[in-house]
Amino acid sequence: MEDVLSVYQQNYSEQTPLVCMDETGKQLTIETRNPIPANSNHVEYFDTEYERNGTASLFMFFNPIDGKRRVDVTDSRTAQDWAHQIKQLVDVDYPDAKKITLVIDNLNTHVGASLYKTFKPQEARRILDKLEFHYTPKHGSWLNMAEIEFSILARECLDRRIPDKSKLKKEVTAWVNKRNSKKSKITWRFKKEDARIKLKRLYPLIE
């Protein structure tokens, strides 16, 4: 991945962006008792009981070269949800791009068929023509830097009780704006030499 990033950095343009995509879910929970505020003697106390309030889905699109990300909060993660997110990527996020390199995992909705299920054939074809899919290896989705961004989001924003989707959207938007304003990037430490060891089974044997 480090070598791939260096190549993209050398040849990068707004017409050929690299974007990593991932999705996850978040359980929404309501406090059943008021927390005890923190003071000079202790941190804030929360009761162990809580009330479940449904779930929400999050879609992450991360450009590791520009240090730019978009996170959308939705009700679900169906094939149609994914298709609409991809259309936004093509038409809103990068309308002038000739070809978007999209790094994604092997979830069964992450395929061109999802676009055809959602849009008319000519529209699905138009969107697909602007995409170049690169799938992470099976059990190797950690190679997708959008997954790393989700890990950061979980630690800095989501690792607590959030009562509803409105509050979740507000918190996620604040986190995204802060990261984007700093153009926060990921320091990738997984080198080609490491890949040839850890991912040995994926490399061809040349006799």
Side-chain angles (χ1 to χ4, degrees), residues 13 16 23 55 67 69-70 77 82 92 105 108 110 117 136 140 155 165 178-179 181 184 193 197 199 202-203 205:
S13 75
T16 57
E23 56 187 85
T55 60
R69 73 277 296 143
R70 170 172 64 86
R77 291 186 284 158
W82 181 80
V92 179
D105 62 24
N108 60 359
H110 296 171
K117 288 180 181 177
T136 55
R155 293 195 305 270
K165 196 169 75 169
K178 182 178 179 180
R179 296 273 294 169
S181 67
S184 300
E193 292 73 18
I197 297 173
L199 305 175
L202 298 176
Y203 283 83
L205 295 176

Side-chain angles (χ1 to χ4, degrees), residues 151-169:
S151 177
I152 298 170
L153 173 62
R155 293 195 305 270
E156 296 183 350
C157 180
L158 303 182
D159 191 21
R160 55 196 171 88
R161 294 174 185 171
I162 297 179
D164 51 50
K165 196 169 75 169
S166 176
K167 178 68 172 179
L168 178 62
K169 284 184 176 180

Side-chain angles (χ1 to χ4, degrees), residues 174-185:
W175 180 85
V176 168
N177 290 341
K178 182 178 179 180
R179 296 273 294 169
N180 282 344
S181 67
K182 296 180 178 180
K183 295 183 178 180
S184 300
K185 300 180 181 181

